[in-house]
Amino acid sequence: MRGALFACLLMLAPSAAPAAPRSPVIVELYTAQGCASCTGAGEVMETLAARRDVLPLTFSVDYWDYLGWTDTLARPEFVIRQKTYVTRFDLGEPYTPQVVVGGRGQTGALEAERLESLISRAAQAPAGPRISLSTSRTSVANGKAPKGGAEVWMVRYDPKPRSVQVRRGDNRGQTVVAVNAVRELRRLGSWRGRGLTWRLPEATEPGLVTVVIVQAPRGGRILALASSPASS
């Protein structure tokens, strides 16, 4: 009798939504068109883009513009995001080409062995909350949030490689290719374990893919992500 009563109570008790299926590991590249040591980073990202278990994203930064070439893809908010990782990983200052893997570790983009190790480790992390995503809205389901909650980010990137011919500075005369170049980055709000929905702004460019990321605060680990088809 007591066992039956306990079973009934379990059925009546509210429960968190099931965790999402395991998502690809996000690899964020911080690079610049005018950075001489960054020219090989695009090839690394191109290789990663061919994998189903990884989502590479290229964030162009502008702090090398003083060398003579103004980066055509850079945004100030990308530098702010990278500086959050500088604090998170106690680096002292930002550098390029840097990759951040799943918000869990960082290394130089050309350090192949270290990069692969970070991807393998991030891939073993438990799945986070479910995210639903349409062209105009996104929802994060109930789930277990980390201490202090989590941040919900919208990223939009161009799935087509962008080639830029650098005309001045250290990379003068070279063509730099950005794979999955990020064009928009916006913080949607906070998530503390209770299901929430946000309205998404219209894309600023056609053909962009929208990704919603749930991430621990202050550049912490990425818990879950969802992506939509490219906008028309």
Side-chain angles (χ1 to χ4, degrees):
M1 181 68 179
R2 294 175 65 184
L5 177 60
F6 180 69
C8 290
L9 290 174
L10 285 178
M11 293 176 64
L12 293 173
S15 59
R22 195 175 301 278
S23 302
V25 174
I26 289 184
V27 176
E28 303 175 42
L29 169 66
Y30 291 90
T31 186
Q33 296 164 3
C35 163
S37 59
C38 295
T39 53
E43 295 179 7
V44 173
M45 298 296 272
E46 188 174 10
T47 300
L48 293 177
R51 296 171 53 168
R52 301 183 66 178
D53 62 332
V54 176
L55 175 58
L57 297 173
T58 298
F59 291 84
S60 293
V61 297
D62 60 8
Y63 48 78
W64 294 121
D65 287 2
Y66 77 93
L67 295 176
W69 176 254
T70 299
D71 196 296
T72 62
L73 299 175
R75 296 284 188 274
E77 55 266 35
F78 302 167
V79 178
I80 294 172
R81 183 170 176 85
Q82 187 186 23
K83 287 182 177 179
T84 300
Y85 287 130
V86 170
T87 302
R88 164 89 164 83
F89 297 113
D90 195 23
L91 297 177
E93 60 183 7
Y95 72 93
T96 55
Q98 179 194 27
V99 286
V100 178
V101 181
R104 298 170 181 270
Q106 69 83 37
T107 188
L110 305 182
E111 300 292 332
E113 186 174 340
R114 169 70 173 161
L115 173 56
E116 190 58 42
S117 175
L118 289 173
I119 292 173
S120 297
R121 191 189 317 169
Q124 297 171 12
R130 285 186 175 273
I131 304 172
S132 60
L133 177 61
S134 69
T135 56
S136 60
R137 295 176 183 273
T138 186
S139 298
V140 180
N142 293 338
K144 184 177 181 181
K147 184 178 180 180
E151 298 173 342
V152 181
W153 292 88
M154 183 202 74
V155 175
R156 285 194 172 120
Y157 70 89
D158 188 349
K160 298 179 181 179
R162 292 209 176 188
S163 299
V164 177
Q165 186 175 12
V166 180
R167 303 183 186 280
R168 293 182 297 277
D170 288 357
N171 289 336
R172 180 179 180 181
Q174 297 194 52
T175 298
V176 178
V177 179
V179 176
N180 291 355
V182 176
R183 307 304 300 133
E184 298 179 36
L185 174 67
R186 178 178 297 196
R187 186 182 184 277
L188 298 178
S190 298
W191 177 78
R192 297 183 178 274
R194 182 180 178 183
L196 291 172
T197 298
W198 290 268
R199 182 180 294 275
L200 300 177
E202 292 187 6
T204 57
E205 302 176 21
L208 300 183
V209 174
T210 300
V211 181
V212 172
I213 299 170
V214 179
Q215 184 171 16
R218 299 177 293 279
R221 66 192 187 278
I222 291 176
L223 307 174
L225 68 95
S227 60
S228 70
S231 60
S232 58

